[in-house]
Amino acid sequence: MRRDVFQAIADPTRRAIILLIAAQAMTPNAIAAHFDMTRQAVSKHLQILAECDLVTPAQSGREIIYELNGTKMGEVDKWLEQFRKIWEDRFNELDKVLLTIKKQRHEN
């Protein structure tokens, strides 16, 4: 089954792995050291992230190092952008209401 980016980031462990890898490329063992789970469980999460192209495995000698694929994270950001506009508009409306209330209190 082909997963999409949103299925991958729905899991809190995978989001935590993404944050770790965003700071620096890491081996599966280095990533696993940050979690209270087996190395195999971390590998499964990495496999899902790699299937969705959120992380990219690269061979470095005998080890695999995982790096964040920023382009794929851009898809998430692009999708969220539509909500940012809605939130900004709502916050601006709330600001107007609060200013009106504040002015009314100062007039009374």
Side-chain angles (χ1 to χ4, degrees):
M1 176 179 90
R2 182 75 176 153
R3 295 175 176 90
D4 71 8
V5 172
F6 298 99
Q7 289 172 313
I9 65 173
D11 184 275
T13 300
R14 289 193 286 273
R15 290 192 305 269
I17 290 170
I18 290 169
L19 284 172
L20 283 172
I21 296 173
Q24 79 177 58
M26 301 176 87
T27 65
N29 284 335
I31 295 166
H34 292 271
F35 298 94
D36 187 24
M37 64 178 66
T38 66
R39 161 76 165 68
Q40 291 77 18
V42 170
S43 289
K44 181 63 177 170
H45 285 295
L46 286 168
Q47 177 186 355
I48 292 168
L49 291 170
E51 285 175 9
C52 296
D53 295 325
L54 285 166
V55 299
T56 304
Q59 196 73 35
S60 177
R62 292 176 25 185
E63 293 190 303
I64 296 175
I65 296 177
Y66 285 87
E67 298 175 323
L68 182 67
N69 180 353
T71 303
K72 206 62 170 177
M73 289 302 294
E75 288 181 23
V76 176
D77 185 54
K78 185 177 177 180
W79 184 79
L80 287 172
E81 183 61 36
Q82 62 189 333
F83 296 102
R84 279 189 201 101
K85 175 72 174 130
I86 293 168
W87 297 330
E88 287 172 5
D89 290 347
R90 288 183 180 176
F91 284 130
N92 288 337
E93 288 300 316
L94 180 59
D95 283 343
K96 289 177 188 175
V97 170
L98 292 174
L99 279 173
T100 301
I101 292 170
K102 188 175 181 179
K103 285 180 185 177
Q104 288 173 350
R105 285 187 178 168
H106 287 290
E107 291 174 358
N108 293 333

